[in-house]
Amino acid sequence: MTKRAVVVGVNNYSVQGFRNLGGCVRDAQAMYHLLVDAFLFDPSQIWLYTDSTATSSNIRQAIRYMLSISEPGDVACFYFAGHGGLHPIGGGASYQTIIPYSGSFITDWDLAAAAESLQPSLVNFTIILDSCHSGGMHEETEHPAAVRSIRYANEFIQNLIATLQKVIPFGVTVPNVQAYTNNVSQVSQAGNGLLCMNEDPNQLFIPLAKSTLFAACRWNEYAGETSSHGYFTQAFLDLVNQSNFLIDHRTFHQRLVTRVHELAGPSQTPQIRGQQNRMEEEFLMGWKDCR
């Protein structure tokens, strides 16, 4: 079994024209060391990109390469700390995106293209996302810390309110938008500009998913940060406290929720999505069998 990872953190969004963040580079650096020290990744098998090196082309190329050389029993991990957003594609559907230092935004479609030949029953592809996609006017939020979503124009929000029926989350690696039926409803705008929606709880886990996603928050919440770390990443650092750390996905998610609520309050709740049949297996370990 070989463990590989692509780790990305972006604070500097001057090229993209968005508000800078404060803790994402530190998050990525901390996650790099956590993967090595606690989960026994070989440093030579981790590709770390921060700020100016975290371009869209570098991230895409690294993910493609990591997945292309993955063999049965291997682990592939992608970690991202930075801004997220939404990209409408017509027909009432939108892709969630992550936003690199420069270049085009990256969607789950891009992940699926990179993982076209990946067999999810053989390779553990895990994505950890410390960002959010809810927009909003951050200076008016009740959250005292910065939040990791770009601010949406009012016209953009009104268009989503009128048309949005389906959201393809970043990090589940599904082959196409048909993997989801209409999974959002009652789309609205809160007083601070936050894009709110109800998500169908029966579509958190998708049979066609090729990856397991740990995300910092629900779709209608902010992912917050302090000057040191994002709350979600800080929860990882607090909970993973020994070498060769072993814990199953479901238990780890529950503990992450508890710790993030302790740090940020109940307004940020980490989510887990993707491959439901792997929830009892150990986090960032090779699959025990093919299913």
Side-chain angles (χ1 to χ4, degrees):
M1 175 183 65
T2 302
K3 296 183 176 184
R4 302 179 181 87
V6 176
V7 178
V8 179
V10 183
N11 285 338
N12 183 352
Y13 278 97
S14 57
V15 174
Q16 299 281 21
F18 302 129
R19 178 181 49 82
N20 289 338
L21 294 168
C24 297
V25 169
R26 193 176 292 108
D27 281 351
Q29 293 166 340
M31 186 58 66
Y32 171 92
H33 290 290
L34 194 72
L35 292 174
V36 172
D37 297 337
F39 295 105
L40 308 184
F41 281 64
D42 186 330
S44 68
Q45 299 299 313
I46 304 177
W47 294 269
L48 174 65
Y49 299 97
T50 59
D51 279 345
S52 62
T53 63
T55 64
S56 182
S57 59
N58 280 348
I59 296 169
R60 293 166 191 259
Q61 183 176 6
I63 293 173
R64 283 197 302 269
Y65 177 70
M66 174 179 68
L67 296 180
S68 71
I69 62 175
S70 293
E71 298 180 346
D74 286 354
V75 176
C77 177
F78 175 59
Y79 171 87
F80 177 82
H83 277 314
L86 279 174
H87 175 65
I89 57 172
S94 288
Y95 273 106
Q96 289 182 347
T97 69
I98 60 169
I99 303 177
Y101 167 81
S102 64
S104 57
F105 298 0
I106 302 172
T107 71
D108 195 75
W109 185 90
D110 299 302
L111 285 182
E116 184 175 6
S117 61
L118 184 73
Q119 298 185 54
S121 63
L122 302 179
V123 176
N124 177 355
F125 184 24
T126 297
I127 293 168
I128 305 167
L129 197 61
D130 199 343
S131 64
C132 55
H133 311 270
S134 53
M137 299 178 290
H138 308 134
E139 65 272 16
E140 297 179 15
T141 180
E142 62 184 11
H143 234 309
V147 295
R148 296 179 171 182
S149 176
I150 59 175
R151 178 174 174 175
Y152 299 144
N154 185 65
E155 181 179 356
F156 179 82
I157 291 177
Q158 295 307 315
N159 180 63
L160 290 176
I161 290 173
T163 63
L164 189 62
Q165 299 175 324
K166 181 187 300 186
V167 172
I168 312 302
F170 182 92
V172 291
T173 318
V174 294
N176 51 55
V177 297
Q178 283 71 43
Y180 288 87
T181 55
N182 293 348
N183 61 338
V184 296
S185 60
Q186 297 182 331
V187 183
S188 62
Q189 181 180 17
N192 61 358
L194 181 72
L195 185 65
C196 300
M197 65 190 78
N198 290 338
E199 181 186 6
D200 181 357
N202 295 318
Q203 297 189 62
L204 293 176
F205 297 97
I206 297 294
L208 293 175
K210 287 190 172 185
S211 57
T212 301
L213 167 66
F214 281 78
C217 60
R218 296 188 180 106
W219 290 353
N220 59 352
E221 295 176 340
Y222 290 130
E225 64 166 16
T226 68
S227 58
S228 298
H229 290 292
Y231 292 124
F232 187 50
T233 300
Q234 185 64 61
F236 267 82
L237 301 176
D238 293 344
L239 293 172
V240 180
N241 54 11
Q242 65 186 54
S243 179
N244 197 24
F245 184 83
L246 297 175
I247 191 170
D248 69 81
H249 289 78
R250 195 180 308 279
T251 301
F252 193 33
H253 171 246
Q254 292 168 350
R255 293 183 183 178
L256 286 167
V257 170
T258 298
R259 183 59 184 143
V260 169
H261 283 177
E262 291 171 349
L263 293 168
S267 60
Q268 180 177 336
T269 302
Q271 301 291 289
I272 187 170
R273 305 171 187 273
Q275 297 171 281
Q276 189 170 29
N277 64 340
R278 298 297 186 178
M279 289 300 99
E280 307 306 326
E281 294 208 37
E282 291 167 343
F283 179 69
L284 292 183
M285 291 293 292
W287 299 142
K288 296 177 182 177
D289 52 37
C290 299
R291 44 176 109 158

